[in-house]
Amino acid sequence: MSDQIRIQLSENLRSVHERMAAACQRAGRTTETVTLIAVTKYARIEWVRELVDLGLTDLGESRPQQLVQRARELSPDIRWHMIGHLQRNKADDVISVAQMIHSVDSLRLFEQLVKSAKSRPLPPRILLEVNVSGEASKDGFDRADLISLWPQMRDCDALPISGLMTMAPLTEDTTAVRNTFRRLRELRDQLRDESAGRLSLEDLSMGMSGDFEIAIEEGATMIRIGSSLFEGLSDE
Ligand SMILES: *Cc1c(COP(=O)(O)O)cnc(C)c1O
């Protein structure tokens, strides 16, 4: 690890923390209410180690295989977040290492996770991914489908659902981005009301490098940041 890489990573991290703090201040929130998840899917393992040395505790991966492999290689104190599409045949592997699964996008996957979770003393936290913007290319529950499926999911004691996740459309139109995040929060409020006080659904996973400040202003409790943390580093 060259000093240059270390310096670049710590500057990137400082800059993300500053932007988070400013967004929290605008929203009248304290910084502890937002967790930074470093998305390491394109990062070399040396860089990830360095980020952990710099104090990051929450890491996200989008591919099950890389998540499982890195969870074995890196410190057991890291909290691993599965943020990408998960096939049911990988549920057992992922559930054995992930503290949180953000990308539950179908009832069948949820039911598989309920089965897989029985073998674990402490089940992971489960977030349902919602395709708020309705883009054909996106994974996630359609909003109306989720509302109608909710009675089948909300009462599962073996695997309580802790919140929702979404991705905003890739656009310069910040109003559209803000609306996506706001609608996720409103959907969360609605589902919470329809769970008769059983679930608090406190987790809102929304916001990436290009839009996390807007997400924080709209109530994100977890932001998933990749490129802003690794910019200026070359993969040579
Ligand atoms: C890659 C990825 C991110 C991070 O995106 P950046 O724009 O690099 O910050 C966040 N969430 C998901 C689901 C991702 O796949």
Side-chain angles (χ1 to χ4, degrees), residues 15-189:
S15 154
V16 168
H17 275 147
E18 280 173 9
R19 290 167 60 194
M20 286 174 73
C24 283
Q25 192 167 27
R26 282 197 298 280
R29 306 176 56 186
T30 58
T31 50
E32 303 80 65
T33 61
V34 185
T35 300
L36 169 60
I37 299 169
V39 176
T40 51
K41 62 187 177 198
Y42 299 132
R44 294 170 54 165
I45 189 121
E46 296 81 17
W47 305 349
V48 181
R49 284 212 168 87
E50 188 62 29
L51 274 184
V52 173
D53 281 351
L54 288 167
L56 274 187
T57 51
D58 289 84
L59 303 183
E61 285 283 346
S62 56
R63 281 182 293 138
Q65 204 180 348
Q66 185 156 311
L67 184 143
V68 170
Q69 195 182 335
R70 288 185 162 183
R72 285 203 196 102
E73 280 176 65
L74 295 169
S75 159
D77 298 332
I78 293 168
R79 284 190 293 271
W80 287 98
H81 298 256
M82 176 66 202
I83 62 169
H85 183 64
L86 178 58
Q87 284 173 330
R88 282 177 295 145
N89 62 4
K90 299 278 168 51
D92 276 339
D93 293 346
V94 166
I95 226 165
S96 66
V97 290
Q99 272 72 28
M100 191 169 299
I101 301 176
H102 296 233
S103 43
V104 179
D105 57 5
S106 71
L107 179 60
R108 292 172 75 199
L109 174 59
F110 177 69
E111 288 170 346
Q112 176 60 54
L113 289 167
V114 172
K115 278 191 209 136
S116 303
K118 296 209 169 103
S119 62
R120 253 189 66 145
L122 198 66
R125 288 168 84 98
I126 294 294
L127 307 187
L128 304 180
E129 180 173 356
V130 186
N131 182 357
V132 176
S133 55
E135 290 162 276
S137 60
K138 282 217 161 87
D139 294 322
F141 286 94
D142 170 80
R143 190 179 169 282
D145 289 350
L146 177 54
I147 291 170
S148 63
L149 289 170
W150 187 233
Q152 293 176 65
M153 305 172 86
R154 69 184 174 204
D155 295 329
C156 180
D157 289 328
L159 200 58
I161 293 163
S162 74
L164 303 181
M165 179 273 229
T166 199
M167 288 167 86
L170 261 184
T171 167
E172 302 283 299
D173 178 0
T174 56
T175 307
V177 171
R178 188 178 294 280
N179 282 341
T180 302
F181 295 147
R182 188 170 295 166
R183 287 172 65 201
L184 189 75
R185 189 188 65 218
E186 289 168 355
L187 177 60
R188 186 276 307 272
D189 294 348

